[in-house]
Amino acid sequence: VGPRLDLTRDSASPADGDIAGAIRFIAGNDLLDSGGNPDPEEITYGFIRMDLDDVSDGSEDGNLDIQVILNGTNRSRIKTNSTETVINDGSQDVDFRVESDSKTHMLFVDAGNNHVNIGTSTDRGGLLSIETNDNTSQLVLVSTDDDASTGPRMDFLRDSASPADDDVVSQIRFRGKNVRDDSSNTPETLAYAGFKVIAKDVSEGTEDGEFQINTQLGGETVTSFTISPTEIAINDQSKDLDFRVESDGNTHGLFVDAG
């Protein structure tokens, strides 16, 4: 290797927590003296420092910290040690952004709003938002396991410390825009359909669940299909919603005329 720059702390008694070395980037600020003349202070605008976390022979650990000044104080921006690599360890309002070939925000952590985006910088209201501008799949789950078990699998876990009967365990909503017929003419976002699961009974050994399919009907969310502990119900809310089963040659092999 060459050329090479070595920073060596040649201590006779090395100890955990020693600073092995640092590179500092120093420049002046625009401070003025009492007469209004430039009197700059020397400011460390950033530095790279190596700490010795563990100096035990055979199990040595280092801690590299890259800091940059922010609002007058040096803040850790990238830190890597024996257990983790951390971005923004000082919890500042500093975003993290990764570009791809054609997207400026392929991966984006919005520090101020505490959410993560893929493909966009726009806050879509979720802790994680994935956005595309075409018809490609936003999420693909793949399992290459070749045994007889299930895979891939998606779990929705409501990890409540105090579960109760009739808790909504989870919900999937299919949302879109409408067309408003008023002076604002601003489309609203609403759920046109969705799945909902309810914990009807959370008692150990007698747990019951309920599965619902909900849809928009005349501007109202209605439950069109329900699997409950006691029945499977179609149109449980008594709406003008027909039920029709086709056979091979009959469009109305079975037909319930709700109206």
Side-chain angles (χ1 to χ4, degrees):
V1 178
R4 184 174 68 184
L5 174 65
D6 290 338
L7 303 181
T8 304
R9 178 165 184 173
D10 193 14
S11 172
S13 55
D16 295 351
D18 283 352
I19 299 175
I23 300 174
R24 299 186 299 165
F25 302 88
I26 300 172
N29 62 11
D30 65 354
L31 180 68
L32 303 178
D33 63 18
S34 58
N37 300 308
D39 186 22
E41 298 174 301
E42 282 193 349
I43 301 296
T44 300
Y45 282 87
F47 63 85
I48 303 171
R49 189 180 76 191
M50 172 60 72
D51 295 344
L52 306 180
D53 284 352
D54 187 346
V55 297
S56 303
D57 183 28
S59 62
E60 297 89 349
D61 292 326
N63 187 338
L64 182 68
D65 194 6
I66 300 176
Q67 297 200 11
V68 176
I69 199 167
L70 177 64
N71 293 324
T73 303
N74 275 287
R75 307 288 188 180
S76 177
R77 307 300 285 272
I78 302 175
K79 180 183 289 186
T80 179
N81 56 36
S82 60
T83 60
E84 61 184 359
T85 298
V86 186
I87 307 296
N88 191 27
D89 190 50
S91 299
Q92 300 299 302
D93 188 1
V94 177
D95 298 336
F96 176 74
R97 183 171 62 86
V98 178
E99 290 198 20
S100 66
D101 183 42
S102 60
K103 288 187 177 293
T104 60
H105 293 77
M106 194 65 247
L107 175 61
F108 180 62
V109 178
D110 189 327
N113 293 308
N114 295 310
H115 66 84
V116 178
N117 285 358
I118 296 176
T120 181
S121 61
T122 304
D123 183 358
R124 296 297 186 182
L127 181 62
L128 171 64
S129 299
I130 304 174
E131 182 176 317
T132 62
N133 56 4
D134 53 31
N135 294 319
T136 58
S137 298
Q138 281 83 6
L139 178 64
V140 178
L141 304 179
V142 178
S143 172
T144 59
D145 190 5
D146 58 3
D147 61 21
S149 185
T150 302
R153 182 173 68 186
M154 178 182 291
D155 290 340
F156 294 83
L157 171 63
R158 179 166 183 176
D159 193 13
S160 172
S162 56
D165 294 351
D166 294 321
D167 280 352
V168 177
V169 176
S170 60
Q171 187 174 17
I172 299 176
R173 299 184 299 170
F174 302 91
R175 302 194 301 163
K177 300 283 189 178
N178 66 2
V179 178
R180 296 182 65 181
D181 186 18
D182 58 20
S183 57
S184 69
N185 200 33
T186 303
E188 293 177 307
T189 300
L190 71 156
Y192 280 89
F195 303 144
K196 182 186 291 186
V197 175
I198 301 172
K200 300 300 291 183
D201 186 345
V202 298
S203 303
E204 183 182 6
T206 62
E207 297 90 347
D208 290 326
E210 179 173 296
F211 176 79
Q212 297 179 355
I213 298 179
N214 303 303
T215 58
Q216 280 287 319
L217 179 62
E220 176 188 5
T221 299
V222 300
T223 302
S224 55
F225 181 81
T226 305
I227 302 176
S228 75
T230 59
E231 63 180 1
I232 297 176
I234 307 294
N235 193 26
D236 189 47
Q237 293 178 287
S238 300
K239 301 296 182 180
D240 189 0
L241 184 65
D242 299 338
F243 177 73
R244 182 172 61 87
V245 179
E246 289 198 20
S247 65
D248 184 41
N250 192 334
T251 60
H252 293 70
L254 174 64
F255 182 63
V256 177
D257 189 328

